[in-house]
Amino acid sequence: MKLTQKVLIIILAVISLSGCWSSKEIEELGLIIGTAIDLDNEGEFEDRQSGSDNGNVFKLTNQLITAETANNATNGGQSQVRAYKNITETGDAVLPALRNMILRIDKRAFGEHAKVIVIGEELARGYNLEQVLDFFRREQEMRPSTLIVIAKGSASKTLESAEPTVIPAIQLVEMIQGMERTTKILTPTPIAKIEGQLNSGNSFLIQTVASDNNDRKLTGAAMIDGNTKTLRAFLNETETEGVTWIKGKGKGGLVRSYDEEASQPIVYESLSMKSKIKPSVKGESISFTVKIETEGRIGEHWDINGKAFDSKYMKRAEKATEKEIERLVKSVLEKTQGEYKMDVLGFGRSLQISYPQVWNKVKNNWDETFSELPVEFSINVSIKEMGTSG
């Protein structure tokens, strides 16, 4: 049985076991499983920013699971009914848009099982995320574990699917859980976590998703400016790998390097990683050293000369992997520190912990200060296993 179907059965079972509702009331519920928020109209948005009231700002899409759609999903999609139902409305704020949905749906919308909130790119670029998410942070039905994701382009399109049994919101959350097997996916950002990030004043990252022909793909990270709390830029998947290595948050992933002596590629599989950002203060000078350590195995190699796993080869493989990790981390540092002058990697937090008095002097203009500071990397790769081919 697919995980999506298991989730549906669990949700319906929880509702049916609750003493608050009768079976008739269950059939009248629409479970909000995901929400997409887009900017309704750019011109009207600008009018709202200037204080005039010329129309709606938000386009809100709720993805619902009802008794009818759930039955279709658990039965393998044999009917023409999709496994979900999307309802879209507009409003000059989130709550009015939600209330407008009452005029278009015959179900009582219930938000306690919401899995994800997707924020559209245009809205995230022009609007303070603290304001956009204010309703969800206050709403008692909303679970603190609900994930926040930024869409490249339209948020509502990420909640559409051409496959009748696929529930896009649940599928998106399942995709994010793949961070245990790749360094290209960020650590998830739930509502409970983003609360502190928005209040800290520091820049930070949120997972990005894109939609193409009713299909979803995780495409890197969104850089959120700590001062304006708006989207500044995106990191691609390769740059997101660099983020994972600097933060040491990955649970698994691959590094593809190259053995120059054998002229063959090497694929290293990380089984563990850790990273420490160490600040150094000498007088008025601040610098950082990032120490990265990882243990893993050879996941794939193309050297068939029979000596692929002797000690010399293993050392070459370790050095080649270290070189590739260094390339990844320097690439993302160049973009965040040099091009955009944004500390989304946690250097300021490290300085704050180690040198709180120094931090108090530089925190008000930290991103600009960070852009001029030297950063060195120390990377150690240890191959402990040779994989199944050994």
Side-chain angles (χ1 to χ4, degrees), residues 99-117:
R99 289 293 186 264
N100 286 341
M101 288 185 183
I102 296 175
L103 306 176
R104 301 188 54 207
I105 184 172
D106 59 350
K107 305 291 183 181
R108 155 72 167 91
F110 185 67
E112 189 171 324
H113 295 284
K115 301 295 182 185
V116 64
I117 299 170

PDB file of all heavy atoms in Angstrom, residues 99-117:
ATOM      1  N   ARG A  99     -12.625  32.842   4.506  1.00  0.00           N
ATOM      2  CA  ARG A  99     -14.061  33.000   4.751  1.00  0.00           C
ATOM      3  C   ARG A  99     -14.842  33.020   3.436  1.00  0.00           C
ATOM      4  O   ARG A  99     -15.970  32.534   3.362  1.00  0.00           O
ATOM      5  CB  ARG A  99     -14.320  34.276   5.540  1.00  0.00           C
ATOM      6  CG  ARG A  99     -13.872  34.215   6.991  1.00  0.00           C
ATOM      7  CD  ARG A  99     -14.726  33.223   7.776  1.00  0.00           C
ATOM      8  NE  ARG A  99     -14.379  33.263   9.197  1.00  0.00           N
ATOM      9  CZ  ARG A  99     -13.535  32.428   9.790  1.00  0.00           C
ATOM     10  NH1 ARG A  99     -12.940  31.482   9.052  1.00  0.00           N
ATOM     11  NH2 ARG A  99     -13.275  32.521  11.071  1.00  0.00           N
ATOM     12  N   ASN A 100     -14.220  33.562   2.391  1.00  0.00           N
ATOM     13  CA  ASN A 100     -14.881  33.578   1.087  1.00  0.00           C
ATOM     14  C   ASN A 100     -15.096  32.165   0.543  1.00  0.00           C
ATOM     15  O   ASN A 100     -16.000  31.931  -0.272  1.00  0.00           O
ATOM     16  CB  ASN A 100     -14.069  34.398   0.080  1.00  0.00           C
ATOM     17  CG  ASN A 100     -14.170  35.888   0.334  1.00  0.00           C
ATOM     18  OD1 ASN A 100     -15.093  36.348   1.005  1.00  0.00           O
ATOM     19  ND2 ASN A 100     -13.219  36.645  -0.180  1.00  0.00           N
ATOM     20  N   MET A 101     -14.283  31.223   0.988  1.00  0.00           N
ATOM     21  CA  MET A 101     -14.440  29.841   0.527  1.00  0.00           C
ATOM     22  C   MET A 101     -15.745  29.218   1.005  1.00  0.00           C
ATOM     23  O   MET A 101     -16.243  28.264   0.389  1.00  0.00           O
ATOM     24  CB  MET A 101     -13.262  28.993   1.010  1.00  0.00           C
ATOM     25  CG  MET A 101     -11.961  29.290   0.285  1.00  0.00           C
ATOM     26  SD  MET A 101     -10.631  28.176   0.783  1.00  0.00           S
ATOM     27  CE  MET A 101      -9.270  28.877  -0.169  1.00  0.00           C
ATOM     28  N   ILE A 102     -16.272  29.730   2.098  1.00  0.00           N
ATOM     29  CA  ILE A 102     -17.535  29.203   2.618  1.00  0.00           C
ATOM     30  C   ILE A 102     -18.636  29.340   1.574  1.00  0.00           C
ATOM     31  O   ILE A 102     -19.570  28.530   1.506  1.00  0.00           O
ATOM     32  CB  ILE A 102     -17.931  29.941   3.911  1.00  0.00           C
ATOM     33  CG1 ILE A 102     -16.878  29.677   5.005  1.00  0.00           C
ATOM     34  CG2 ILE A 102     -19.314  29.515   4.395  1.00  0.00           C
ATOM     35  CD1 ILE A 102     -17.115  30.470   6.273  1.00  0.00           C
ATOM     36  N   LEU A 103     -18.521  30.344   0.720  1.00  0.00           N
ATOM     37  CA  LEU A 103     -19.538  30.581  -0.300  1.00  0.00           C
ATOM     38  C   LEU A 103     -19.452  29.576  -1.445  1.00  0.00           C
ATOM     39  O   LEU A 103     -20.356  29.524  -2.282  1.00  0.00           O
ATOM     40  CB  LEU A 103     -19.380  32.001  -0.865  1.00  0.00           C
ATOM     41  CG  LEU A 103     -19.370  33.143   0.162  1.00  0.00           C
ATOM     42  CD1 LEU A 103     -19.105  34.462  -0.531  1.00  0.00           C
ATOM     43  CD2 LEU A 103     -20.682  33.177   0.934  1.00  0.00           C
ATOM     44  N   ARG A 104     -18.353  28.773  -1.487  1.00  0.00           N
ATOM     45  CA  ARG A 104     -18.135  27.910  -2.643  1.00  0.00           C
ATOM     46  C   ARG A 104     -18.000  26.440  -2.296  1.00  0.00           C
ATOM     47  O   ARG A 104     -17.798  25.618  -3.189  1.00  0.00           O
ATOM     48  CB  ARG A 104     -16.862  28.355  -3.374  1.00  0.00           C
ATOM     49  CG  ARG A 104     -16.912  29.792  -3.862  1.00  0.00           C
ATOM     50  CD  ARG A 104     -15.713  30.087  -4.722  1.00  0.00           C
ATOM     51  NE  ARG A 104     -15.614  29.102  -5.793  1.00  0.00           N
ATOM     52  CZ  ARG A 104     -14.468  28.759  -6.366  1.00  0.00           C
ATOM     53  NH1 ARG A 104     -13.337  29.288  -5.960  1.00  0.00           N
ATOM     54  NH2 ARG A 104     -14.453  27.870  -7.334  1.00  0.00           N
ATOM     55  N   ILE A 105     -18.068  26.069  -1.038  1.00  0.00           N
ATOM     56  CA  ILE A 105     -17.840  24.686  -0.662  1.00  0.00           C
ATOM     57  C   ILE A 105     -18.896  24.231   0.331  1.00  0.00           C
ATOM     58  O   ILE A 105     -19.315  24.995   1.223  1.00  0.00           O
ATOM     59  CB  ILE A 105     -16.419  24.508  -0.060  1.00  0.00           C
ATOM     60  CG1 ILE A 105     -16.142  23.030   0.236  1.00  0.00           C
ATOM     61  CG2 ILE A 105     -16.226  25.361   1.173  1.00  0.00           C
ATOM     62  CD1 ILE A 105     -14.712  22.772   0.641  1.00  0.00           C
ATOM     63  N   ASP A 106     -19.351  22.983   0.177  1.00  0.00           N
ATOM     64  CA  ASP A 106     -20.396  22.455   1.054  1.00  0.00           C
ATOM     65  C   ASP A 106     -19.821  21.654   2.220  1.00  0.00           C
ATOM     66  O   ASP A 106     -20.547  20.926   2.891  1.00  0.00           O
ATOM     67  CB  ASP A 106     -21.369  21.565   0.251  1.00  0.00           C
ATOM     68  CG  ASP A 106     -20.660  20.392  -0.403  1.00  0.00           C
ATOM     69  OD1 ASP A 106     -19.418  20.378  -0.395  1.00  0.00           O
ATOM     70  OD2 ASP A 106     -21.361  19.493  -0.915  1.00  0.00           O
ATOM     71  N   LYS A 107     -18.513  21.762   2.446  1.00  0.00           N
ATOM     72  CA  LYS A 107     -17.859  21.038   3.530  1.00  0.00           C
ATOM     73  C   LYS A 107     -17.369  22.011   4.611  1.00  0.00           C
ATOM     74  O   LYS A 107     -17.057  23.164   4.321  1.00  0.00           O
ATOM     75  CB  LYS A 107     -16.655  20.245   3.011  1.00  0.00           C
ATOM     76  CG  LYS A 107     -16.968  19.281   1.870  1.00  0.00           C
ATOM     77  CD  LYS A 107     -17.805  18.114   2.327  1.00  0.00           C
ATOM     78  CE  LYS A 107     -18.039  17.123   1.194  1.00  0.00           C
ATOM     79  NZ  LYS A 107     -18.889  15.986   1.618  1.00  0.00           N
ATOM     80  N   ARG A 108     -17.300  21.534   5.819  1.00  0.00           N
ATOM     81  CA  ARG A 108     -16.687  22.293   6.909  1.00  0.00           C
ATOM     82  C   ARG A 108     -15.180  22.081   6.829  1.00  0.00           C
ATOM     83  O   ARG A 108     -14.674  20.989   7.047  1.00  0.00           O
ATOM     84  CB  ARG A 108     -17.234  21.801   8.254  1.00  0.00           C
ATOM     85  CG  ARG A 108     -16.330  22.035   9.470  1.00  0.00           C
ATOM     86  CD  ARG A 108     -16.259  23.490   9.900  1.00  0.00           C
ATOM     87  NE  ARG A 108     -15.655  23.597  11.219  1.00  0.00           N
ATOM     88  CZ  ARG A 108     -14.345  23.754  11.447  1.00  0.00           C
ATOM     89  NH1 ARG A 108     -13.512  23.823  10.425  1.00  0.00           N
ATOM     90  NH2 ARG A 108     -13.883  23.844  12.681  1.00  0.00           N
ATOM     91  N   ALA A 109     -14.448  23.118   6.440  1.00  0.00           N
ATOM     92  CA  ALA A 109     -13.000  23.011   6.301  1.00  0.00           C
ATOM     93  C   ALA A 109     -12.350  22.858   7.664  1.00  0.00           C
ATOM     94  O   ALA A 109     -12.596  23.645   8.580  1.00  0.00           O
ATOM     95  CB  ALA A 109     -12.452  24.247   5.590  1.00  0.00           C
ATOM     96  N   PHE A 110     -11.498  21.849   7.791  1.00  0.00           N
ATOM     97  CA  PHE A 110     -10.868  21.499   9.054  1.00  0.00           C
ATOM     98  C   PHE A 110      -9.364  21.449   8.847  1.00  0.00           C
ATOM     99  O   PHE A 110      -8.869  20.666   8.036  1.00  0.00           O
ATOM    100  CB  PHE A 110     -11.396  20.136   9.524  1.00  0.00           C
ATOM    101  CG  PHE A 110     -10.909  19.713  10.876  1.00  0.00           C
ATOM    102  CD1 PHE A 110     -11.298  20.397  12.018  1.00  0.00           C
ATOM    103  CD2 PHE A 110     -10.085  18.611  11.009  1.00  0.00           C
ATOM    104  CE1 PHE A 110     -10.859  19.995  13.270  1.00  0.00           C
ATOM    105  CE2 PHE A 110      -9.635  18.207  12.256  1.00  0.00           C
ATOM    106  CZ  PHE A 110     -10.028  18.897  13.387  1.00  0.00           C
ATOM    107  N   GLY A 111      -8.600  22.310   9.544  1.00  0.00           N
ATOM    108  CA  GLY A 111      -7.185  22.503   9.246  1.00  0.00           C
ATOM    109  C   GLY A 111      -6.200  21.761  10.105  1.00  0.00           C
ATOM    110  O   GLY A 111      -4.989  21.919   9.938  1.00  0.00           O
ATOM    111  N   GLU A 112      -6.657  20.913  11.014  1.00  0.00           N
ATOM    112  CA  GLU A 112      -5.738  20.294  11.970  1.00  0.00           C
ATOM    113  C   GLU A 112      -4.764  19.317  11.315  1.00  0.00           C
ATOM    114  O   GLU A 112      -3.719  19.009  11.876  1.00  0.00           O
ATOM    115  CB  GLU A 112      -6.537  19.573  13.066  1.00  0.00           C
ATOM    116  CG  GLU A 112      -5.666  19.097  14.219  1.00  0.00           C
ATOM    117  CD  GLU A 112      -6.483  18.595  15.389  1.00  0.00           C
ATOM    118  OE1 GLU A 112      -7.552  19.171  15.655  1.00  0.00           O
ATOM    119  OE2 GLU A 112      -6.052  17.617  16.024  1.00  0.00           O
ATOM    120  N   HIS A 113      -5.101  18.812  10.127  1.00  0.00           N
ATOM    121  CA  HIS A 113      -4.246  17.830   9.469  1.00  0.00           C
ATOM    122  C   HIS A 113      -3.439  18.432   8.318  1.00  0.00           C
ATOM    123  O   HIS A 113      -2.896  17.692   7.486  1.00  0.00           O
ATOM    124  CB  HIS A 113      -5.087  16.657   8.972  1.00  0.00           C
ATOM    125  CG  HIS A 113      -5.722  15.885  10.078  1.00  0.00           C
ATOM    126  ND1 HIS A 113      -5.029  14.999  10.867  1.00  0.00           N
ATOM    127  CD2 HIS A 113      -6.991  15.890  10.554  1.00  0.00           C
ATOM    128  CE1 HIS A 113      -5.837  14.470  11.763  1.00  0.00           C
ATOM    129  NE2 HIS A 113      -7.036  15.004  11.599  1.00  0.00           N
ATOM    130  N   ALA A 114      -3.331  19.756   8.265  1.00  0.00           N
ATOM    131  CA  ALA A 114      -2.564  20.413   7.206  1.00  0.00           C
ATOM    132  C   ALA A 114      -1.098  19.998   7.266  1.00  0.00           C
ATOM    133  O   ALA A 114      -0.493  19.966   8.340  1.00  0.00           O
ATOM    134  CB  ALA A 114      -2.687  21.920   7.329  1.00  0.00           C
ATOM    135  N   LYS A 115      -0.548  19.667   6.112  1.00  0.00           N
ATOM    136  CA  LYS A 115       0.829  19.181   6.034  1.00  0.00           C
ATOM    137  C   LYS A 115       1.811  20.249   5.564  1.00  0.00           C
ATOM    138  O   LYS A 115       2.969  20.244   5.957  1.00  0.00           O
ATOM    139  CB  LYS A 115       0.905  17.984   5.071  1.00  0.00           C
ATOM    140  CG  LYS A 115       0.029  16.813   5.454  1.00  0.00           C
ATOM    141  CD  LYS A 115       0.470  16.191   6.756  1.00  0.00           C
ATOM    142  CE  LYS A 115      -0.398  14.986   7.104  1.00  0.00           C
ATOM    143  NZ  LYS A 115      -0.049  14.439   8.434  1.00  0.00           N
ATOM    144  N   VAL A 116       1.356  21.149   4.665  1.00  0.00           N
ATOM    145  CA  VAL A 116       2.307  22.062   4.044  1.00  0.00           C
ATOM    146  C   VAL A 116       1.611  23.355   3.631  1.00  0.00           C
ATOM    147  O   VAL A 116       0.429  23.346   3.268  1.00  0.00           O
ATOM    148  CB  VAL A 116       2.979  21.391   2.823  1.00  0.00           C
ATOM    149  CG1 VAL A 116       1.955  21.083   1.740  1.00  0.00           C
ATOM    150  CG2 VAL A 116       4.118  22.223   2.262  1.00  0.00           C
ATOM    151  N   ILE A 117       2.344  24.462   3.706  1.00  0.00           N
ATOM    152  CA  ILE A 117       1.921  25.757   3.187  1.00  0.00           C
ATOM    153  C   ILE A 117       2.948  26.182   2.142  1.00  0.00           C
ATOM    154  O   ILE A 117       4.140  26.279   2.434  1.00  0.00           O
ATOM    155  CB  ILE A 117       1.847  26.820   4.300  1.00  0.00           C
ATOM    156  CG1 ILE A 117       0.824  26.411   5.364  1.00  0.00           C
ATOM    157  CG2 ILE A 117       1.495  28.190   3.727  1.00  0.00           C
ATOM    158  CD1 ILE A 117       0.872  27.277   6.610  1.00  0.00           C
TER     159      ILE A 117
END
